[in-house]
Structures are given as structure tokens and as C-alpha cells.
């Protein structure tokens, strides 16, 4: 069997692999605490569940236009108006099988072989792999001051003749850091001046804390017409807790959306009509579930930050949003893969190694679980890592004994 060069250059999704490992261990009855997850535990909005069920019951489950049903496009137009203050037309919208598909189809539509895509480090695991899948070259940018948000100058230093696009994810997976309005204004202006595509991955844009308000990149754009190179990505997975529904979307200029729709029509023919109906209901229905989720996550974030601050040797920049934090454990082990494996083996806590996001010495911890998951998970980690810990730890009625030093 011969596998293509591109396929060989793509690595497995570390986060999905960890989910599998955790599920296998749980099946064996192991007391696993999953701090690696990237999905809220709350139920999808009732409106969405009812809409999906009634679509199935109607029996009218057929192909749809490849860019999405008109009702979903209308719901996305309303959403963009309400949360971005920007009025768009149906031809500027493409619904997709999750934000993931919207991003990769956008990259397929804009990249020629060897063209470069810049994104800040640490980055979402899929940006480099998606770029490679589309024949492009990923160019991660590390902030010179070591912070989680590179400055425009750091990004500008990486822009060259082959640069085609910049991806900004704010607030960010894995750090939870949100870029300032000044930075968003500057990057929008910079991309317009240099004629670069700017992909704003806004999948977490309403899941932000401490009174922050979502930032609309459109307010800083001078060109919102047909030559605009702004691509805004969003979806229902995170804020509506609808990860399994696989609905996301892209908003861009009409020509680009037409090209993306052509691509998607040959890839998947567009997302399932059942799931599109559920997304319409979520977007148009009662919005309290989003605020409830946001409040829960803010509370969980506070608990996680308190726990980690009491963890000697661990450095943390508190997250501004999302359901992740990205503490620095390099005082214990700079090799984040080894550290993550150690924590899973010894105390059954799932974490994601920072190296998967391009930054060694860190672990991504999720705050999606319960308060008990967070407190017990961090307690177990402390016990495993602190050489002064007592010799024994009970997990339920199971006794763990330190057999390492
Ligand atoms: C930054 C970022 N963008 C996009 C996605 C994909 O979202 P979806 O489930 O809608 O494909 C994720 C999911 O983890 C993410 O973290």
C-alpha cells in the first residue's frame, strides 16, 4: 500500500486520541479524570434537540444546497448582525460540517502550493495540519516577550512573498487568551494594507470572562466589499454545547464563498439537513443556555486558577475565555508528552501536552468538567509531582502508593 506524501505528513489529532485513551481506561473501570477535553458537558439547547427530532420524524431528510439551507443562512445573517454589528447577504455565508470544515475549505479555496499561513504559537492543533493538507506551509509565530499574544511586529517579521493568510483565534485554544481590540484593529488594517487573507476563528468569541465583550473585527475594516479578504469562522459546537452536531460556518466575500461552496459540494455536499435544522433552532431560540454555559465556565476557570496558584512551581496566565488554561509545568518536566503520560499512568488524569500546540513545558487543562473534576484532578497532579507528598493517596477506595521519587 502506498500512502501519499501529504497523508504521511499529517499527524493524528492528539486531542481525539486522548479522548479515546480516556474512554478505554474508563471502560476498564479506571477512575479517570479527563482534564483534556474540548467540549462542554451541558446539554444542547432543547430547541435544537426538538428541531432535529422533528426533522427526522418528517422523513424529509434529503440533500440541501451545498452552502446550507436558506433558514440557516438567515439565522447566521441575524447572528452576524447581532453579535458583530455587521449586515451581510446570503451569498456571503457558507454553512459547513463544523468550524473545522469551514476553515479547511477556506484554506483550500485560497492557497496555492507552498503558500504560507501564519498563526500565533501556541496554536490550535489543526492549523498546521490543515495548512499542509491544502499544500501550504504553516508558519507559527512565537511572541518575542514569551506571552500568549504575539504583537503585530512579531507577525510582521514572518510575512514574506509567500504569505497568503493569517489565522487569529481569540480567545485562543489552548491558552484562553483574548487579543485586545487594539491588536484586532491593527491586524485587520495590516492585512488590508498587505492584501493578505485574515481568518478570524471566532469559535469561542462569546465564551469570555470578567465582563469582557466580544470584539467584532468588521468595525475596523475599511474594505467590506467584494475585495475584502476577511474570513470570519464561527459555529454552534462550543457556545451552544453542540459539538456532535457538526455545524459551523464561514462569512466572507461572495466570490470566495462561491469558490468554497464549489469545493464543499464535491467534498460532502454540505452538512446534514437534520443538523442544520438543529443549528437554526439553537441560533434563533432561547439564548439563555449560552450565558449559563459562560457563567459555569467562568466559575470553573476561577476554581482552576485558584487550584493552580496553590501549586508550587506552576506558572499560569489566567485565561480570559474558552474552557482551557495553559499552565507552565517546566519546573517539573520540560517534556510535556512525558509529563502528560506520567500523569495518566500514575494518577489517571488526562491532560494534553503543550508540544501539540507548539509550546513545550506546558499542559493544556480543560475546565469543561465538574468542579470536583477540577479540584480532584489538580490535587492528584500535585500528589504525583510534589516530592514531599505523603506516600499514599486514595482515589475512592483505591489506594495509590508512590513508587517513584
Ligand atoms: C480554535 C478552534 N477552531 C475550530 C474548532 C472546530 O470546531 P468545530 O467542532 O465546529 O469543528 C475548534 C475545536 O476544537 C477549535 O478549538
Amino acid at each position: 500500500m502506498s500512502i501519499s506524501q501529504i497523508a504521511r505528513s499529517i499527524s493524528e489529532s492528539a486531542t481525539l486520541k486522548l479522548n479515546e485513551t480516556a474512554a478505554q481506561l474508563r471502560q476498564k473501570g479506571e477512575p479517570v479524570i479527563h482534564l483534556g477535553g474540548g467540549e462542554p458537558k451541558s446539554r444542547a439547547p432543547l430547541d435544537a434537540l426538538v428541531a432535529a427530532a422533528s426533522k427526522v420524524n418528517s422523513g424529509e431528510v434529503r440533500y440541501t444546497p451545498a452552502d446550507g439551507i436558506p433558514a440557516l443562512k438567515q439565522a447566521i445573517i441575524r447572528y452576524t448582525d447581532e453579535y458583530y454589528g455587521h449586515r451581510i447577504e446570503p451569498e456571503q455565508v457558507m454553512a459547513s460540517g463544523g468550524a473545522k470544515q469551514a476553515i479547511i475549505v477556506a484554506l483550500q479555496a485560497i492557497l496555492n502550493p507552498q503558500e504560507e499561513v501564519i498563526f500565533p504559537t501556541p496554536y490550535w492543533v489543526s492549523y498546521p495540519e490543515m495548512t499542509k493538507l491544502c499544500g501550504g506551509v504553516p508558519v507559527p509565530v512565537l511572541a518575542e516577550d514569551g506571552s500568549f499574544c504575539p504583537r503585530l511586529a512579531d507577525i510582521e517579521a514572518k510575512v514574506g512573498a509567500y504569505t497568503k493568510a493569517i489565522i487569529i483565534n481569540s480567545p485562543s485554544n489552548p491558552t484562553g487568551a483574548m487579543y485586545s481590540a487594539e491588536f484586532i484593529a491593527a491586524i485587520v488594517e495590516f492585512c488590508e494594507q498587505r492584501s493578505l487573507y485574515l481568518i478570524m476563528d471566532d469559535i469561542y468569541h462569546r465564551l469570555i470572562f470578567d465582563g469582557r465583550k466580544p470584539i467584532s473585527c468588521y468595525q475596523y475594516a475599511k474594505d467590506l466589499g467584494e475585495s475584502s479578504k476577511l474570513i470570519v469562522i464561527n459555529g454552534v459546537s462550543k457556545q451552544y454545547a453542540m459539538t456532535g452536531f457538526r455545524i459551523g460556518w464561514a462569512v466572507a466575500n461572495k466570490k470566495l464563498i462561491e469558490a468554497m461552496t464549489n469545493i464543499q459540494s464535491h467534498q460532502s455536499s454540505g452538512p446534514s439537513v437534520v443538523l442544520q435544522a438543529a443549528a437554526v433552532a439553537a441560533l434563533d431560540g432561547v439564548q439563555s443556555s449560552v450565558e449559563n454555559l459562560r457563567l459555569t465556565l467562568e466559575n470553573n476557570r476561577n476554581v482552576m486558577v485558584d487550584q493552580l496558584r496553590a501549586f508550587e512551581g506552576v506558572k499560569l496566565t489566567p485565561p480570559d475565555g474558552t474552557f482551557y488554561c495553559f499552565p507552565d509545568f517546566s519546573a517539573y518536566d520540560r517534556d510535556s508528552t512525558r509529563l502528560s503520560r506520567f500523569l495518566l499512568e500514575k494518577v489517571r488524569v488526562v491532560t494534553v501536552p503543550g508540544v501539540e500546540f507548539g509550546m513545550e513545558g506546558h499542559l493544556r487543562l480543560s475546565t469543561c468538567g465538574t468542579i470536583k473534576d477540577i479540584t480532584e484532578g489538580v490535587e492528584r497532579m500535585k500528589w504525583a509531582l510534589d516530592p514531599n507528598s505523603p506516600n499514599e493517596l486514595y482515589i475512592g477506595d483505591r489506594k495509590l502508593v508512590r513508587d517513584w521519587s
Side-chain angles (χ1 to χ4, degrees), residues 12 48 68 88 116 124 128-129 138 156 182 188 203 247 254 329 371 383 404:
E12 187 175 15
I88 51 168
E116 296 176 354
W124 180 42
E129 307 311 282
E156 196 174 357
E182 291 73 37
V188 168
I203 190 83
I247 298 291
K254 292 180 188 170
F329 280 87
I371 296 287
W383 181 76
W404 61 96

mmCIF file of all heavy atoms in Angstrom, residues 12 48 68 88 116 124 128-129 138 156 182 188 203 247 254 329 371 383 404:
data_model
loop_
_atom_site.group_PDB
_atom_site.id
_atom_site.type_symbol
_atom_site.label_atom_id
_atom_site.label_comp_id
_atom_site.label_asym_id
_atom_site.label_seq_id
_atom_site.Cartn_x
_atom_site.Cartn_y
_atom_site.Cartn_z
ATOM 1 N N GLU A 12 -1.810 12.382 13.741
ATOM 2 C CA GLU A 12 -3.101 12.104 14.351
ATOM 3 C C GLU A 12 -3.508 13.270 15.258
ATOM 4 O O GLU A 12 -2.642 13.923 15.830
ATOM 5 C CB GLU A 12 -2.919 10.842 15.202
ATOM 6 C CG GLU A 12 -4.166 10.279 15.784
ATOM 7 C CD GLU A 12 -3.874 8.959 16.513
ATOM 8 O OE1 GLU A 12 -2.695 8.672 16.791
ATOM 9 O OE2 GLU A 12 -4.823 8.255 16.802
ATOM 10 N N ALA A 48 -32.907 22.960 19.911
ATOM 11 C CA ALA A 48 -32.119 22.260 18.886
ATOM 12 C C ALA A 48 -32.469 20.775 18.856
ATOM 13 O O ALA A 48 -32.611 20.181 17.774
ATOM 14 C CB ALA A 48 -30.631 22.448 19.171
ATOM 15 N N GLY A 68 -25.735 25.417 2.479
ATOM 16 C CA GLY A 68 -26.630 25.465 3.632
ATOM 17 C C GLY A 68 -28.056 25.833 3.252
ATOM 18 O O GLY A 68 -28.293 26.471 2.218
ATOM 19 N N ILE A 88 -24.849 41.244 6.479
ATOM 20 C CA ILE A 88 -24.304 40.510 5.327
ATOM 21 C C ILE A 88 -25.438 39.943 4.479
ATOM 22 O O ILE A 88 -26.605 39.943 4.906
ATOM 23 C CB ILE A 88 -23.376 39.344 5.767
ATOM 24 C CG1 ILE A 88 -24.072 38.462 6.824
ATOM 25 C CG2 ILE A 88 -22.057 39.864 6.285
ATOM 26 C CD1 ILE A 88 -23.363 37.163 7.102
ATOM 27 N N GLU A 116 2.151 30.395 2.300
ATOM 28 C CA GLU A 116 2.309 30.268 3.757
ATOM 29 C C GLU A 116 1.115 30.824 4.535
ATOM 30 O O GLU A 116 0.501 31.811 4.130
ATOM 31 C CB GLU A 116 3.577 31.018 4.192
ATOM 32 C CG GLU A 116 4.820 30.396 3.598
ATOM 33 C CD GLU A 116 6.114 31.142 3.906
ATOM 34 O OE1 GLU A 116 6.062 32.233 4.512
ATOM 35 O OE2 GLU A 116 7.169 30.627 3.520
ATOM 36 N N TRP A 124 -3.966 26.224 17.794
ATOM 37 C CA TRP A 124 -4.871 25.067 17.785
ATOM 38 C C TRP A 124 -4.221 23.977 16.924
ATOM 39 O O TRP A 124 -3.722 24.257 15.827
ATOM 40 C CB TRP A 124 -6.237 25.470 17.219
ATOM 41 C CG TRP A 124 -7.217 24.341 17.167
ATOM 42 C CD1 TRP A 124 -7.420 23.385 18.126
ATOM 43 C CD2 TRP A 124 -8.132 24.041 16.108
ATOM 44 N NE1 TRP A 124 -8.398 22.520 17.729
ATOM 45 C CE2 TRP A 124 -8.851 22.897 16.496
ATOM 46 C CE3 TRP A 124 -8.400 24.628 14.878
ATOM 47 C CZ2 TRP A 124 -9.832 22.321 15.696
ATOM 48 C CZ3 TRP A 124 -9.384 24.063 14.080
ATOM 49 C CH2 TRP A 124 -10.091 22.930 14.482
ATOM 50 N N PRO A 128 -1.715 23.737 11.667
ATOM 51 C CA PRO A 128 -0.606 23.292 10.811
ATOM 52 C C PRO A 128 -1.023 22.156 9.884
ATOM 53 O O PRO A 128 -0.662 22.151 8.700
ATOM 54 C CB PRO A 128 0.443 22.796 11.819
ATOM 55 C CG PRO A 128 0.031 23.295 13.144
ATOM 56 C CD PRO A 128 -1.427 23.571 13.101
ATOM 57 N N GLU A 129 -1.804 21.212 10.413
ATOM 58 C CA GLU A 129 -2.150 20.029 9.618
ATOM 59 C C GLU A 129 -3.090 20.420 8.462
ATOM 60 O O GLU A 129 -2.937 19.955 7.337
ATOM 61 C CB GLU A 129 -2.801 18.943 10.496
ATOM 62 C CG GLU A 129 -2.011 18.550 11.719
ATOM 63 C CD GLU A 129 -0.545 18.253 11.452
ATOM 64 O OE1 GLU A 129 -0.204 17.163 10.957
ATOM 65 O OE2 GLU A 129 0.259 19.154 11.726
ATOM 66 N N PRO A 138 2.792 25.838 6.987
ATOM 67 C CA PRO A 138 2.437 26.522 8.238
ATOM 68 C C PRO A 138 3.597 27.343 8.780
ATOM 69 O O PRO A 138 4.731 26.871 8.776
ATOM 70 C CB PRO A 138 2.110 25.370 9.206
ATOM 71 C CG PRO A 138 2.511 24.098 8.527
ATOM 72 C CD PRO A 138 2.963 24.382 7.133
ATOM 73 N N GLU A 156 4.524 40.506 11.698
ATOM 74 C CA GLU A 156 5.039 41.190 10.505
ATOM 75 C C GLU A 156 6.415 40.646 10.113
ATOM 76 O O GLU A 156 6.724 40.494 8.927
ATOM 77 C CB GLU A 156 5.126 42.692 10.793
ATOM 78 C CG GLU A 156 5.265 43.516 9.536
ATOM 79 C CD GLU A 156 5.197 45.016 9.825
ATOM 80 O OE1 GLU A 156 4.986 45.413 10.983
ATOM 81 O OE2 GLU A 156 5.353 45.776 8.848
ATOM 82 N N GLU A 182 -7.205 46.720 20.285
ATOM 83 C CA GLU A 182 -6.148 47.439 19.548
ATOM 84 C C GLU A 182 -5.420 46.481 18.608
ATOM 85 O O GLU A 182 -5.109 46.815 17.470
ATOM 86 C CB GLU A 182 -5.103 48.052 20.514
ATOM 87 C CG GLU A 182 -5.603 49.196 21.368
ATOM 88 C CD GLU A 182 -6.535 48.721 22.478
ATOM 89 O OE1 GLU A 182 -6.306 47.630 23.046
ATOM 90 O OE2 GLU A 182 -7.523 49.439 22.777
ATOM 91 N N VAL A 188 -6.278 43.788 11.346
ATOM 92 C CA VAL A 188 -7.219 43.991 10.229
ATOM 93 C C VAL A 188 -6.614 44.998 9.246
ATOM 94 O O VAL A 188 -6.576 44.762 8.032
ATOM 95 C CB VAL A 188 -8.601 44.471 10.745
ATOM 96 C CG1 VAL A 188 -9.474 44.958 9.603
ATOM 97 C CG2 VAL A 188 -9.313 43.361 11.524
ATOM 98 N N ILE A 203 -14.638 30.858 17.104
ATOM 99 C CA ILE A 203 -15.479 29.783 17.639
ATOM 100 C C ILE A 203 -15.782 29.950 19.143
ATOM 101 O O ILE A 203 -16.791 29.479 19.635
ATOM 102 C CB ILE A 203 -14.833 28.406 17.318
ATOM 103 C CG1 ILE A 203 -15.753 27.233 17.619
ATOM 104 C CG2 ILE A 203 -13.504 28.217 18.034
ATOM 105 C CD1 ILE A 203 -16.723 26.922 16.567
ATOM 106 N N ILE A 247 -21.971 21.624 13.085
ATOM 107 C CA ILE A 247 -22.345 22.755 12.229
ATOM 108 C C ILE A 247 -21.475 23.974 12.567
ATOM 109 O O ILE A 247 -21.412 24.411 13.715
ATOM 110 C CB ILE A 247 -23.842 23.129 12.392
ATOM 111 C CG1 ILE A 247 -24.768 21.977 11.963
ATOM 112 C CG2 ILE A 247 -24.157 24.403 11.576
ATOM 113 C CD1 ILE A 247 -24.799 21.662 10.478
ATOM 114 N N LYS A 254 -18.391 37.375 -1.595
ATOM 115 C CA LYS A 254 -19.257 36.448 -2.354
ATOM 116 C C LYS A 254 -18.460 35.519 -3.262
ATOM 117 O O LYS A 254 -18.777 34.343 -3.384
ATOM 118 C CB LYS A 254 -20.257 37.254 -3.194
ATOM 119 C CG LYS A 254 -21.271 37.989 -2.351
ATOM 120 C CD LYS A 254 -22.236 38.756 -3.230
ATOM 121 C CE LYS A 254 -23.123 39.643 -2.375
ATOM 122 N NZ LYS A 254 -23.931 40.581 -3.142
ATOM 123 N N PHE A 329 4.463 23.931 33.305
ATOM 124 C CA PHE A 329 4.932 22.915 34.265
ATOM 125 C C PHE A 329 6.410 22.621 34.083
ATOM 126 O O PHE A 329 6.889 21.583 34.543
ATOM 127 C CB PHE A 329 4.155 21.598 34.063
ATOM 128 C CG PHE A 329 2.798 21.591 34.703
ATOM 129 C CD1 PHE A 329 1.688 22.071 34.035
ATOM 130 C CD2 PHE A 329 2.623 21.090 35.987
ATOM 131 C CE1 PHE A 329 0.431 22.067 34.625
ATOM 132 C CE2 PHE A 329 1.367 21.074 36.590
ATOM 133 C CZ PHE A 329 0.276 21.570 35.904
ATOM 134 N N ILE A 371 -16.679 20.860 39.025
ATOM 135 C CA ILE A 371 -15.745 21.442 39.993
ATOM 136 C C ILE A 371 -14.949 20.308 40.661
ATOM 137 O O ILE A 371 -13.753 20.434 40.919
ATOM 138 C CB ILE A 371 -16.530 22.251 41.067
ATOM 139 C CG1 ILE A 371 -17.230 23.437 40.413
ATOM 140 C CG2 ILE A 371 -15.629 22.680 42.214
ATOM 141 C CD1 ILE A 371 -16.330 24.561 40.007
ATOM 142 N N TRP A 383 -0.115 15.655 43.974
ATOM 143 C CA TRP A 383 0.382 14.499 44.719
ATOM 144 C C TRP A 383 1.451 13.768 43.902
ATOM 145 O O TRP A 383 2.494 13.368 44.415
ATOM 146 C CB TRP A 383 -0.785 13.558 45.057
ATOM 147 C CG TRP A 383 -0.328 12.355 45.839
ATOM 148 C CD1 TRP A 383 0.010 12.323 47.163
ATOM 149 C CD2 TRP A 383 -0.120 11.034 45.336
ATOM 150 N NE1 TRP A 383 0.406 11.059 47.518
ATOM 151 C CE2 TRP A 383 0.330 10.233 46.413
ATOM 152 C CE3 TRP A 383 -0.278 10.429 44.093
ATOM 153 C CZ2 TRP A 383 0.628 8.889 46.282
ATOM 154 C CZ3 TRP A 383 0.010 9.076 43.959
ATOM 155 C CH2 TRP A 383 0.457 8.318 45.038
ATOM 156 N N TRP A 404 7.643 6.079 42.903
ATOM 157 C CA TRP A 404 8.605 6.852 42.125
ATOM 158 C C TRP A 404 9.129 7.968 43.011
ATOM 159 O O TRP A 404 8.527 8.260 44.051
ATOM 160 C CB TRP A 404 7.967 7.436 40.863
ATOM 161 C CG TRP A 404 6.828 8.390 41.124
ATOM 162 C CD1 TRP A 404 6.879 9.740 41.182
ATOM 163 C CD2 TRP A 404 5.469 8.037 41.386
ATOM 164 N NE1 TRP A 404 5.629 10.251 41.452
ATOM 165 C CE2 TRP A 404 4.756 9.235 41.575
ATOM 166 C CE3 TRP A 404 4.764 6.835 41.492
ATOM 167 C CZ2 TRP A 404 3.382 9.256 41.862
ATOM 168 C CZ3 TRP A 404 3.410 6.864 41.774
ATOM 169 C CH2 TRP A 404 2.737 8.066 41.952
#
